[in-house]
Amino acid sequence: MEDLGVGIGWRSEIDLSVERMAGVDFVEVVAENLHTDHLPESLRVLRERGVPVLPHAVSLSLGGAEPLDTQRVEHLAAVARLVDAPLVSDHVCFVRAGGLDSGHLMPLPRTREALDVLVANVKTAQSIVDTPFALENIAALLEWPDAELTEARFLSELVERTDCLLLIDVANLYANARNLGTDPAAMLDELPLERLAYVHVAGGVEVNGVYHDTHAHAVPQEVLDVLGELCARRRPPGVLLERDDLYPTDAELAGELASIRDVLAAHA
Amino acid sequence: MSREELAEQQAALLRALLAGGEVPPGFDAERLRVEADALLAKRRRVVAMLRPDLPEALGARYRELFDTYGRAHPRHVGTGMRADANAFADWLRERGEISAPPKRSALARLLRRRD
């Protein structure tokens, strides 16, 4: 995996900020928010400057047991071609089932059967998209009963069987530690970090004892600490800040990118 | 377990979270409630973003009214978020919570045309 550096999630609400900000080595776009016939001006400018643009999908429902919606995969493939992407990604989750759309990323049962379904769907998606695929761990507020595999084992086998890359979200590791009592360090020990594509960092907020990974609040020090744990094991090829709402000033965003660089420098 | 059985389990979980369905066996009811609230809150935020005229018109009652609407009308596959937001506006109008169709400014129309 080539070195991506430090990046930020491109959103139309902060397009100028992202364009002007110093030290943005790469950006990520939510694939579903782009049309396949034209690029927003700001992304065109970034591409002209040589900044890599990585499409990130949120709706493929790759862990869903219903037939894969290949039109959504085709859209991702078209967006990847449009931005000449080195890599695309989606999540280890399901989104839709039984005619209902959750509008969010739902956890999978960590069973052999669920893994088989996910592997089959990822292979189908890989056959449609001519770009390397990375899959991301999600933050969950609930767990399925009767897990047969740890999350790290589940992800490791997914990587082995599909040859996909990993997009590790350290904010999600932190959220799961807070809400489900999981151990981020133990999970990082077990993950095949040599297959790491890049890392997500984001902020959240605690409400009534539950930590919500909102992407709308400042990045807590604890999330940067998990990033540090990861960097202590292996230097990530890239780290990307996700901010999706309640946008702060450009200076605050730049400050969060600087904090990420500090963590990377501390483990260089 | 077959792929169909897994599909049914996933559907049962979404019914419990979005459509008032029963808590499937083995799940923690309290965690499901927290997740259901989080999903509804996300949908409420997105609708407010797409139709800022609605929270503006409803003020402090936006949340309660949206939650009533949202629980009774889970979003189905094929219904986009914009259609969901407009369906909420129709629902409000039918109940007399808002009056005439909201006016859109000339600028908003212009911006929408670029979508």
Side-chain angles (χ1 to χ4, degrees):
Chain A
M1 189 63 216
E2 65 178 294
D3 210 32
L4 291 163
V6 174
I8 185 166
W10 182 93
R11 310 288 183 255
S12 58
E13 293 91 338
I14 51 169
D15 58 354
L16 272 181
S17 307
V18 172
E19 218 179 294
R20 288 173 184 161
M21 209 172 288
V24 172
D25 303 321
F26 73 110
V27 300
E28 188 186 78
V29 290
V30 175
E32 287 81 355
N33 291 350
L34 288 193
H35 296 276
T36 53
D37 53 351
H38 72 281
L39 266 187
E41 175 65 9
S42 165
L43 285 176
R44 200 189 56 73
V45 167
L46 288 167
R47 281 302 300 129
E48 239 166 47
R49 233 189 261 163
V51 175
V53 176
L54 278 51
H56 182 53
V58 295
S59 71
L60 300 188
S61 203
L62 291 168
E66 291 172 1
L68 187 65
D69 181 348
T70 52
Q71 271 191 343
R72 292 175 190 268
V73 186
E74 297 278 6
H75 179 85
L76 173 61
V79 169
R81 284 192 296 273
L82 187 66
V83 299
D84 193 21
L87 180 77
V88 299
S89 55
D90 199 331
H91 304 79
V92 176
C93 72
F94 78 103
V95 174
R96 297 170 296 277
L100 292 174
D101 190 330
S102 74
H104 200 61
L105 314 170
M106 306 305 302
L108 300 178
R110 289 198 308 274
T111 60
R112 292 270 160 213
E113 284 85 1
L115 182 60
D116 288 346
V117 164
L118 175 64
V119 165
N121 286 339
V122 168
K123 284 182 173 172
T124 304
Q126 285 171 323
S127 73
I128 295 171
V129 181
D130 323 307
T131 310
F133 231 104
L135 287 161
E136 176 178 359
N137 60 303
I138 65 161
L141 295 173
L142 57 84
E143 285 191 293
W144 288 73
D146 308 322
E148 296 166 3
L149 304 156
T150 63
E151 187 180 1
R153 189 70 221 149
F154 193 86
L155 293 173
S156 302
E157 295 203 11
L158 170 67
V159 165
E160 259 168 49
R161 291 171 59 184
T162 66
D163 209 27
C164 71
L165 294 158
L166 282 177
L167 169 46
I168 293 300
D169 189 318
V170 291
N172 291 348
L173 293 183
Y174 173 68
N176 288 349
R178 287 285 304 273
N179 297 328
L180 305 174
T182 52
D183 180 354
M187 184 162 159
L188 289 169
D189 282 339
E190 219 187 317
L191 283 172
L193 293 180
E194 68 280 3
R195 297 294 296 166
L196 185 59
Y198 60 109
V199 174
H200 271 171
V201 170
V205 68
E206 183 184 318
V207 181
N208 300 329
V210 176
Y211 182 82
H212 294 269
D213 176 58
T214 58
H215 301 184
H217 297 82
V219 176
Q221 181 57 45
E222 292 88 336
V223 169
L224 294 174
D225 292 344
V226 180
L227 175 63
E229 288 275 352
L230 186 151
C231 292
R233 287 162 177 78
R234 191 179 188 97
R235 184 178 173 81
V239 183
L240 183 123
L241 173 67
E242 292 181 292
R243 182 75 184 222
D244 296 339
D245 205 355
L246 307 179
Y247 296 101
T249 63
D250 291 3
E252 282 171 78
L253 283 177
E256 294 204 318
L257 292 181
S259 302
I260 289 170
R261 284 189 191 280
D262 288 346
V263 175
L264 288 168
H267 293 90
Chain B
M1 188 175 40
S2 67
R3 196 172 175 124
E4 288 73 35
E5 282 167 330
L6 179 59
E8 176 43 37
Q9 287 183 2
Q10 291 179 339
L13 178 58
L14 290 197
R15 276 197 302 276
L17 292 170
L18 303 167
E22 281 184 20
V23 173
F27 281 91
D28 181 296
E30 173 58 17
R31 286 193 185 281
L32 255 64
R33 193 193 57 74
V34 170
E35 178 72 87
D37 286 352
L39 292 175
L40 192 60
K42 182 180 182 185
R43 189 176 164 202
R44 191 197 310 125
R45 273 199 309 278
V46 175
V47 166
M49 215 153 30
L50 293 170
R51 288 292 302 263
D53 55 304
L54 301 176
E56 203 175 287
L58 298 169
R61 300 183 62 233
Y62 172 73
R63 182 183 175 142
E64 178 203 333
L65 284 165
F66 182 80
D67 290 3
T68 304
Y69 160 81
R71 290 200 175 95
H73 302 85
R75 195 162 64 90
H76 288 270
V77 172
T79 304
M81 284 310 301
R82 195 170 289 283
D84 189 38
N86 291 336
F88 175 46
D90 292 341
W91 180 86
L92 289 169
R93 219 170 287 125
E94 278 164 26
R95 293 167 59 104
E97 296 288 353
I98 55 173
S99 47
K103 292 178 289 245
R104 281 220 180 80
S105 72
L107 178 63
R109 272 199 304 275
L110 247 175
L111 290 172
R112 279 173 56 81
R113 209 166 295 154
R114 296 174 56 206
D115 282 355

